[in-house]
Short mmCIF file of all heavy atoms in Angstrom, two decimals:
data_model
loop_
_atom_site.label_atom_id
_atom_site.label_comp_id
_atom_site.label_asym_id
_atom_site.label_seq_id
_atom_site.Cartn_x
_atom_site.Cartn_y
_atom_site.Cartn_z
N SER J 372 -22.08 34.12 -7.31
CA SER J 372 -22.97 34.83 -8.24
C SER J 372 -23.60 36.05 -7.59
O SER J 372 -24.02 36.99 -8.29
CB SER J 372 -24.06 33.89 -8.74
OG SER J 372 -24.87 33.45 -7.67
N PHE J 382 -24.25 42.61 -9.69
CA PHE J 382 -24.01 41.27 -9.20
C PHE J 382 -23.13 40.53 -10.19
O PHE J 382 -23.21 40.75 -11.40
CB PHE J 382 -25.33 40.51 -9.02
CG PHE J 382 -26.18 40.99 -7.89
CD1 PHE J 382 -27.36 41.69 -8.13
CD2 PHE J 382 -25.82 40.75 -6.57
CE1 PHE J 382 -28.16 42.13 -7.09
CE2 PHE J 382 -26.61 41.19 -5.52
CZ PHE J 382 -27.78 41.89 -5.78
N GLU J 383 -22.32 39.62 -9.69
CA GLU J 383 -21.44 38.85 -10.57
C GLU J 383 -22.22 38.04 -11.59
O GLU J 383 -21.74 37.81 -12.70
CB GLU J 383 -20.52 37.93 -9.75
CG GLU J 383 -19.23 38.57 -9.32
CD GLU J 383 -18.38 39.01 -10.49
OE1 GLU J 383 -17.84 38.13 -11.20
OE2 GLU J 383 -18.27 40.22 -10.73
N ILE J 384 -23.43 37.58 -11.26
CA ILE J 384 -24.21 36.80 -12.21
C ILE J 384 -24.53 37.61 -13.45
O ILE J 384 -24.76 37.05 -14.54
CB ILE J 384 -25.52 36.28 -11.56
CG1 ILE J 384 -26.14 35.17 -12.43
CG2 ILE J 384 -26.49 37.41 -11.33
CD1 ILE J 384 -25.29 33.96 -12.61
N GLU J 385 -24.52 38.94 -13.35
CA GLU J 385 -24.78 39.79 -14.50
C GLU J 385 -23.58 39.85 -15.44
O GLU J 385 -23.71 40.29 -16.58
CB GLU J 385 -25.17 41.19 -14.05
CG GLU J 385 -26.45 41.22 -13.22
CD GLU J 385 -26.81 42.59 -12.73
OE1 GLU J 385 -27.43 43.35 -13.51
OE2 GLU J 385 -26.47 42.94 -11.57
N ASN J 386 -22.43 39.40 -14.95
CA ASN J 386 -21.22 39.42 -15.76
C ASN J 386 -20.82 38.04 -16.27
O ASN J 386 -20.32 37.89 -17.39
CB ASN J 386 -20.05 39.99 -14.95
CG ASN J 386 -20.30 41.40 -14.47
OD1 ASN J 386 -20.83 42.22 -15.21
ND2 ASN J 386 -19.95 41.67 -13.22
N ARG J 387 -21.03 37.02 -15.43
CA ARG J 387 -20.56 35.67 -15.79
C ARG J 387 -21.21 34.64 -14.86
O ARG J 387 -21.80 35.01 -13.83
CB ARG J 387 -19.04 35.59 -15.66
CG ARG J 387 -18.51 35.97 -14.28
CD ARG J 387 -17.01 36.18 -14.30
NE ARG J 387 -16.63 37.26 -15.20
CZ ARG J 387 -16.59 38.55 -14.84
NH1 ARG J 387 -16.90 38.90 -13.61
NH2 ARG J 387 -16.25 39.46 -15.70
N VAL J 388 -21.07 33.37 -15.20
CA VAL J 388 -21.61 32.31 -14.37
C VAL J 388 -20.46 31.63 -13.63
O VAL J 388 -19.35 31.49 -14.17
CB VAL J 388 -22.39 31.27 -15.22
CG1 VAL J 388 -21.49 30.56 -16.20
CG2 VAL J 388 -23.12 30.26 -14.33
N ARG J 446 -46.71 22.71 -19.71
CA ARG J 446 -46.03 23.44 -20.79
C ARG J 446 -45.33 22.51 -21.77
O ARG J 446 -45.16 22.86 -22.94
CB ARG J 446 -45.01 24.42 -20.19
CG ARG J 446 -45.64 25.52 -19.36
CD ARG J 446 -44.61 26.51 -18.89
NE ARG J 446 -44.00 27.23 -20.01
CZ ARG J 446 -43.10 28.21 -19.87
NH1 ARG J 446 -42.71 28.56 -18.66
NH2 ARG J 446 -42.59 28.81 -20.92
N GLN J 576 -41.88 29.25 -3.41
CA GLN J 576 -42.55 29.85 -4.55
C GLN J 576 -41.56 30.28 -5.63
O GLN J 576 -41.76 29.99 -6.82
CB GLN J 576 -43.38 31.05 -4.10
CG GLN J 576 -44.58 30.67 -3.25
CD GLN J 576 -45.39 31.89 -2.84
OE1 GLN J 576 -44.87 33.00 -2.77
NE2 GLN J 576 -46.66 31.69 -2.56
N SER J 577 -40.49 30.96 -5.24
CA SER J 577 -39.55 31.44 -6.26
C SER J 577 -38.78 30.29 -6.90
O SER J 577 -38.37 30.38 -8.06
CB SER J 577 -38.58 32.46 -5.67
OG SER J 577 -37.89 31.95 -4.55
N ALA J 578 -38.59 29.19 -6.18
CA ALA J 578 -37.94 28.02 -6.77
C ALA J 578 -38.77 27.49 -7.93
O ALA J 578 -38.21 27.07 -8.97
CB ALA J 578 -37.74 26.93 -5.72
N ALA J 579 -40.08 27.53 -7.79
CA ALA J 579 -40.96 27.08 -8.86
C ALA J 579 -40.86 27.99 -10.07
O ALA J 579 -40.81 27.53 -11.22
CB ALA J 579 -42.41 27.01 -8.37
N VAL J 580 -40.80 29.29 -9.84
CA VAL J 580 -40.68 30.25 -10.95
C VAL J 580 -39.34 30.07 -11.65
O VAL J 580 -39.25 30.07 -12.89
CB VAL J 580 -40.84 31.69 -10.44
CG1 VAL J 580 -40.65 32.69 -11.57
CG2 VAL J 580 -42.22 31.87 -9.81
N TRP J 581 -38.28 29.91 -10.85
CA TRP J 581 -36.95 29.73 -11.44
C TRP J 581 -36.90 28.48 -12.31
O TRP J 581 -36.30 28.48 -13.39
CB TRP J 581 -35.90 29.62 -10.33
CG TRP J 581 -34.55 29.23 -10.85
CD1 TRP J 581 -33.63 30.03 -11.44
CD2 TRP J 581 -34.00 27.91 -10.87
NE1 TRP J 581 -32.54 29.31 -11.83
CE2 TRP J 581 -32.74 28.00 -11.48
CE3 TRP J 581 -34.45 26.67 -10.43
CZ2 TRP J 581 -31.92 26.89 -11.66
CZ3 TRP J 581 -33.63 25.57 -10.61
CH2 TRP J 581 -32.39 25.69 -11.22
N SER J 582 -37.52 27.42 -11.87
CA SER J 582 -37.54 26.18 -12.63
C SER J 582 -38.16 26.40 -14.01
O SER J 582 -37.67 25.88 -15.02
CB SER J 582 -38.31 25.11 -11.85
OG SER J 582 -38.52 23.97 -12.63
N GLU J 583 -39.25 27.17 -14.07
CA GLU J 583 -39.88 27.45 -15.35
C GLU J 583 -38.93 28.21 -16.27
O GLU J 583 -38.82 27.92 -17.46
CB GLU J 583 -41.16 28.24 -15.13
CG GLU J 583 -42.26 27.47 -14.41
CD GLU J 583 -43.53 28.29 -14.26
OE1 GLU J 583 -43.64 29.32 -14.96
OE2 GLU J 583 -44.40 27.90 -13.48
N TYR J 584 -38.25 29.22 -15.71
CA TYR J 584 -37.29 29.98 -16.50
C TYR J 584 -36.17 29.07 -17.00
O TYR J 584 -35.73 29.18 -18.15
CB TYR J 584 -36.69 31.11 -15.67
CG TYR J 584 -37.53 32.36 -15.55
CD1 TYR J 584 -37.81 32.91 -14.30
CD2 TYR J 584 -38.01 33.00 -16.67
CE1 TYR J 584 -38.57 34.08 -14.19
CE2 TYR J 584 -38.78 34.17 -16.57
CZ TYR J 584 -39.05 34.69 -15.32
OH TYR J 584 -39.79 35.83 -15.21
N LEU J 585 -35.69 28.19 -16.14
CA LEU J 585 -34.57 27.33 -16.50
C LEU J 585 -34.89 26.45 -17.69
O LEU J 585 -34.12 26.37 -18.66
CB LEU J 585 -34.16 26.46 -15.31
CG LEU J 585 -33.09 25.40 -15.61
CD1 LEU J 585 -31.76 26.06 -15.92
CD2 LEU J 585 -32.96 24.42 -14.45
N VAL J 586 -36.04 25.76 -17.63
CA VAL J 586 -36.39 24.85 -18.72
C VAL J 586 -36.61 25.63 -20.01
O VAL J 586 -36.22 25.18 -21.10
CB VAL J 586 -37.64 24.03 -18.35
CG1 VAL J 586 -38.07 23.14 -19.51
CG2 VAL J 586 -37.36 23.18 -17.12
N ALA J 587 -37.18 26.81 -19.91
CA ALA J 587 -37.37 27.64 -21.10
C ALA J 587 -36.02 28.00 -21.73
O ALA J 587 -35.85 27.97 -22.95
CB ALA J 587 -38.15 28.90 -20.75
N GLN J 588 -35.04 28.34 -20.88
CA GLN J 588 -33.72 28.70 -21.40
C GLN J 588 -32.99 27.48 -21.95
O GLN J 588 -32.31 27.56 -22.97
CB GLN J 588 -32.89 29.36 -20.29
CG GLN J 588 -33.43 30.68 -19.80
CD GLN J 588 -33.43 31.77 -20.87
OE1 GLN J 588 -32.63 31.74 -21.78
NE2 GLN J 588 -34.35 32.72 -20.74
N LEU J 589 -33.12 26.33 -21.27
CA LEU J 589 -32.49 25.11 -21.76
C LEU J 589 -33.04 24.70 -23.12
O LEU J 589 -32.36 24.04 -23.91
CB LEU J 589 -32.70 23.98 -20.76
CG LEU J 589 -31.89 24.02 -19.47
CD1 LEU J 589 -32.38 22.96 -18.50
CD2 LEU J 589 -30.40 23.83 -19.74
N LYS J 591 -33.60 26.54 -25.55
CA LYS J 591 -32.98 27.31 -26.62
C LYS J 591 -31.70 26.59 -27.05
O LYS J 591 -30.74 26.53 -26.29
CB LYS J 591 -32.66 28.73 -26.15
CG LYS J 591 -33.90 29.53 -25.76
CD LYS J 591 -33.52 30.92 -25.27
CE LYS J 591 -34.76 31.73 -24.89
NZ LYS J 591 -34.42 33.08 -24.39
N LEU J 594 -27.90 27.71 -26.37
CA LEU J 594 -27.32 27.92 -25.04
C LEU J 594 -26.76 26.62 -24.48
O LEU J 594 -27.36 25.56 -24.61
CB LEU J 594 -28.38 28.46 -24.07
CG LEU J 594 -28.94 29.85 -24.34
CD1 LEU J 594 -29.95 30.21 -23.25
CD2 LEU J 594 -27.84 30.91 -24.39
N THR J 597 -24.79 25.84 -18.61
CA THR J 597 -24.39 26.89 -17.66
C THR J 597 -24.90 28.25 -18.11
O THR J 597 -25.28 29.08 -17.28
CB THR J 597 -22.86 26.92 -17.51
OG1 THR J 597 -22.24 26.98 -18.79
CG2 THR J 597 -22.36 25.71 -16.76
N GLU J 598 -24.92 28.50 -19.41
CA GLU J 598 -25.47 29.76 -19.90
C GLU J 598 -26.97 29.84 -19.61
O GLU J 598 -27.49 30.91 -19.28
CB GLU J 598 -25.21 29.89 -21.40
CG GLU J 598 -23.75 30.11 -21.75
CD GLU J 598 -23.47 29.97 -23.22
OE1 GLU J 598 -24.26 29.29 -23.92
OE2 GLU J 598 -22.46 30.51 -23.70
N ALA J 599 -27.66 28.71 -19.73
CA ALA J 599 -29.09 28.68 -19.44
C ALA J 599 -29.35 28.93 -17.97
O ALA J 599 -30.32 29.62 -17.60
CB ALA J 599 -29.69 27.34 -19.87
N ILE J 600 -28.52 28.37 -17.10
CA ILE J 600 -28.65 28.62 -15.66
C ILE J 600 -28.50 30.10 -15.37
O ILE J 600 -29.31 30.70 -14.64
CB ILE J 600 -27.60 27.80 -14.89
CG1 ILE J 600 -27.90 26.31 -15.02
CG2 ILE J 600 -27.57 28.21 -13.42
CD1 ILE J 600 -26.76 25.42 -14.60
N ARG J 601 -27.48 30.71 -15.94
CA ARG J 601 -27.25 32.15 -15.73
C ARG J 601 -28.43 32.96 -16.25
O ARG J 601 -28.91 33.89 -15.58
CB ARG J 601 -25.96 32.58 -16.42
CG ARG J 601 -25.69 34.08 -16.36
CD ARG J 601 -24.33 34.43 -16.92
NE ARG J 601 -24.14 35.86 -16.94
CZ ARG J 601 -24.27 36.61 -18.04
NH1 ARG J 601 -24.55 36.04 -19.21
NH2 ARG J 601 -24.10 37.92 -17.99
N ALA J 602 -28.92 32.63 -17.43
CA ALA J 602 -30.04 33.37 -18.00
C ALA J 602 -31.28 33.27 -17.14
O ALA J 602 -32.02 34.25 -16.97
CB ALA J 602 -30.32 32.87 -19.41
N SER J 603 -31.53 32.09 -16.56
CA SER J 603 -32.71 31.93 -15.71
C SER J 603 -32.58 32.73 -14.42
O SER J 603 -33.56 33.27 -13.91
CB SER J 603 -32.94 30.45 -15.41
OG SER J 603 -31.86 29.89 -14.70
N GLN J 604 -31.37 32.80 -13.87
CA GLN J 604 -31.16 33.59 -12.66
C GLN J 604 -31.32 35.08 -12.94
O GLN J 604 -31.93 35.81 -12.15
CB GLN J 604 -29.77 33.29 -12.09
CG GLN J 604 -29.67 31.89 -11.49
CD GLN J 604 -28.26 31.57 -11.02
OE1 GLN J 604 -27.30 31.65 -11.78
NE2 GLN J 604 -28.13 31.20 -9.76
N ILE J 605 -30.80 35.52 -14.06
CA ILE J 605 -30.96 36.93 -14.43
C ILE J 605 -32.43 37.26 -14.67
O ILE J 605 -32.90 38.36 -14.34
CB ILE J 605 -30.10 37.26 -15.66
CG1 ILE J 605 -28.61 37.22 -15.29
CG2 ILE J 605 -30.46 38.64 -16.22
CD1 ILE J 605 -27.68 37.44 -16.45
N ALA J 606 -33.18 36.31 -15.24
CA ALA J 606 -34.60 36.54 -15.48
C ALA J 606 -35.33 36.79 -14.16
O ALA J 606 -36.22 37.66 -14.09
CB ALA J 606 -35.21 35.34 -16.22
N LEU J 607 -35.00 36.04 -13.12
CA LEU J 607 -35.60 36.29 -11.81
C LEU J 607 -35.16 37.64 -11.26
O LEU J 607 -35.97 38.42 -10.75
CB LEU J 607 -35.20 35.18 -10.83
CG LEU J 607 -36.06 33.93 -10.76
CD1 LEU J 607 -35.53 33.00 -9.68
CD2 LEU J 607 -37.51 34.26 -10.48
N LEU J 608 -33.86 37.90 -11.35
CA LEU J 608 -33.31 39.15 -10.82
C LEU J 608 -33.99 40.36 -11.45
O LEU J 608 -34.26 41.36 -10.78
CB LEU J 608 -31.80 39.18 -11.09
CG LEU J 608 -31.06 40.50 -10.86
CD1 LEU J 608 -31.13 40.91 -9.40
CD2 LEU J 608 -29.61 40.37 -11.31
N ARG J 609 -34.26 40.28 -12.76
CA ARG J 609 -34.79 41.43 -13.50
C ARG J 609 -36.28 41.30 -13.81
O ARG J 609 -36.80 42.02 -14.66
CB ARG J 609 -34.00 41.59 -14.80
CG ARG J 609 -32.52 41.88 -14.56
CD ARG J 609 -31.75 41.94 -15.87
NE ARG J 609 -30.34 42.24 -15.64
CZ ARG J 609 -29.40 42.22 -16.59
NH1 ARG J 609 -29.73 41.91 -17.83
NH2 ARG J 609 -28.14 42.50 -16.29
N ASP J 610 -36.96 40.41 -13.12
CA ASP J 610 -38.41 40.27 -13.33
C ASP J 610 -39.09 41.62 -13.12
O ASP J 610 -38.82 42.31 -12.13
CB ASP J 610 -38.98 39.25 -12.34
CG ASP J 610 -40.43 38.93 -12.62
OD1 ASP J 610 -41.30 39.71 -12.17
OD2 ASP J 610 -40.69 37.92 -13.29
N PRO J 611 -39.95 42.04 -14.05
CA PRO J 611 -40.56 43.38 -13.96
C PRO J 611 -41.30 43.64 -12.65
O PRO J 611 -41.40 44.79 -12.21
CB PRO J 611 -41.53 43.40 -15.16
CG PRO J 611 -40.94 42.42 -16.14
CD PRO J 611 -40.33 41.34 -15.29
N SER J 612 -41.81 42.59 -12.04
CA SER J 612 -42.55 42.78 -10.79
C SER J 612 -41.65 43.17 -9.63
O SER J 612 -42.11 43.71 -8.62
CB SER J 612 -43.31 41.50 -10.43
OG SER J 612 -42.40 40.48 -10.02
N GLY J 613 -40.35 42.87 -9.75
CA GLY J 613 -39.42 43.14 -8.66
C GLY J 613 -39.54 42.18 -7.50
O GLY J 613 -38.84 42.31 -6.49
N ARG J 614 -40.40 41.19 -7.64
CA ARG J 614 -40.68 40.29 -6.52
C ARG J 614 -39.52 39.36 -6.22
O ARG J 614 -39.34 38.91 -5.10
CB ARG J 614 -41.94 39.47 -6.83
CG ARG J 614 -42.40 38.61 -5.67
CD ARG J 614 -43.66 37.86 -6.01
NE ARG J 614 -44.13 37.10 -4.87
CZ ARG J 614 -45.18 36.28 -4.88
NH1 ARG J 614 -45.88 36.14 -6.01
NH2 ARG J 614 -45.54 35.62 -3.80
N TRP J 615 -38.70 39.05 -7.26
CA TRP J 615 -37.68 38.04 -7.09
C TRP J 615 -36.27 38.62 -7.20
O TRP J 615 -35.32 37.89 -7.48
CB TRP J 615 -37.84 36.94 -8.15
CG TRP J 615 -39.24 36.48 -8.37
CD1 TRP J 615 -39.96 36.57 -9.53
CD2 TRP J 615 -40.09 35.83 -7.43
NE1 TRP J 615 -41.20 36.03 -9.36
CE2 TRP J 615 -41.32 35.56 -8.08
CE3 TRP J 615 -39.94 35.45 -6.09
CZ2 TRP J 615 -42.39 34.93 -7.46
CZ3 TRP J 615 -41.02 34.83 -5.47
CH2 TRP J 615 -42.21 34.57 -6.13
N ASP J 616 -36.11 39.91 -6.99
CA ASP J 616 -34.79 40.52 -7.24
C ASP J 616 -33.79 40.26 -6.12
O ASP J 616 -32.57 40.37 -6.34
CB ASP J 616 -34.93 42.03 -7.48
CG ASP J 616 -35.61 42.76 -6.32
OD1 ASP J 616 -36.01 42.10 -5.34
OD2 ASP J 616 -35.74 44.00 -6.41
N HIS J 617 -34.25 39.91 -4.93
CA HIS J 617 -33.32 39.63 -3.84
C HIS J 617 -32.55 38.33 -4.14
O HIS J 617 -33.12 37.35 -4.63
CB HIS J 617 -34.07 39.48 -2.52
CG HIS J 617 -33.20 39.54 -1.30
ND1 HIS J 617 -32.33 38.53 -0.96
CD2 HIS J 617 -33.06 40.50 -0.35
CE1 HIS J 617 -31.69 38.86 0.16
NE2 HIS J 617 -32.12 40.04 0.55
N PRO J 618 -31.23 38.28 -3.84
CA PRO J 618 -30.44 37.07 -4.13
C PRO J 618 -30.98 35.80 -3.50
O PRO J 618 -30.66 34.71 -3.97
CB PRO J 618 -29.06 37.43 -3.57
CG PRO J 618 -28.98 38.91 -3.67
CD PRO J 618 -30.38 39.39 -3.38
N ARG J 619 -31.79 35.89 -2.44
CA ARG J 619 -32.31 34.67 -1.83
C ARG J 619 -33.15 33.86 -2.81
O ARG J 619 -33.33 32.66 -2.64
CB ARG J 619 -33.15 35.01 -0.58
CG ARG J 619 -34.49 35.63 -0.85
CD ARG J 619 -35.33 35.74 0.43
NE ARG J 619 -34.65 36.53 1.41
CZ ARG J 619 -34.75 37.86 1.51
NH1 ARG J 619 -35.50 38.53 0.66
NH2 ARG J 619 -34.11 38.52 2.44
N HIS J 620 -33.66 34.53 -3.85
CA HIS J 620 -34.53 33.85 -4.79
C HIS J 620 -33.78 33.20 -5.96
O HIS J 620 -34.25 32.21 -6.51
CB HIS J 620 -35.58 34.82 -5.34
CG HIS J 620 -36.49 35.36 -4.30
ND1 HIS J 620 -37.34 34.56 -3.55
CD2 HIS J 620 -36.70 36.64 -3.85
CE1 HIS J 620 -38.02 35.31 -2.70
NE2 HIS J 620 -37.66 36.57 -2.86
N TRP J 621 -32.64 33.78 -6.36
CA TRP J 621 -31.97 33.27 -7.56
C TRP J 621 -30.56 32.73 -7.31
O TRP J 621 -30.06 31.92 -8.08
CB TRP J 621 -31.92 34.34 -8.65
CG TRP J 621 -31.41 35.69 -8.20
CD1 TRP J 621 -32.17 36.77 -7.82
CD2 TRP J 621 -30.05 36.10 -8.09
NE1 TRP J 621 -31.37 37.82 -7.47
CE2 TRP J 621 -30.06 37.44 -7.63
CE3 TRP J 621 -28.83 35.49 -8.32
CZ2 TRP J 621 -28.90 38.16 -7.40
CZ3 TRP J 621 -27.67 36.20 -8.10
CH2 TRP J 621 -27.71 37.53 -7.65
N ALA J 622 -29.92 33.17 -6.23
CA ALA J 622 -28.53 32.77 -6.02
C ALA J 622 -28.34 31.38 -5.43
O ALA J 622 -27.23 30.84 -5.54
CB ALA J 622 -27.83 33.81 -5.13
N PHE J 624 -29.04 28.52 -6.44
CA PHE J 624 -28.86 27.44 -7.40
C PHE J 624 -27.46 27.50 -8.02
O PHE J 624 -27.09 28.48 -8.66
CB PHE J 624 -29.93 27.52 -8.49
CG PHE J 624 -31.32 27.47 -7.92
CD1 PHE J 624 -32.04 28.64 -7.71
CD2 PHE J 624 -31.89 26.26 -7.56
CE1 PHE J 624 -33.31 28.60 -7.16
CE2 PHE J 624 -33.17 26.22 -7.02
CZ PHE J 624 -33.89 27.39 -6.81
#
Side-chain angles (χ1 to χ4, degrees):
S372 63
F382 290 108
E383 272 299 290
I384 195 62
E385 298 178 84
N386 300 319
R387 56 193 61 87
V388 64
R446 296 185 64 177
Q576 292 181 335
S577 56
V580 177
W581 172 80
S582 172
E583 293 182 15
Y584 279 128
L585 174 67
V586 177
Q588 295 296 333
L589 286 170
K591 298 179 179 179
L594 294 181
T597 51
E598 290 169 337
I600 293 165
R601 175 173 176 258
S603 62
Q604 290 176 304
I605 291 176
L607 272 183
L608 169 63
R609 298 176 179 173
D610 187 277
S612 70
R614 186 178 183 184
W615 316 118
D616 57 358
H617 195 289
R619 72 172 59 88
H620 297 298
W621 49 264
F624 303 98

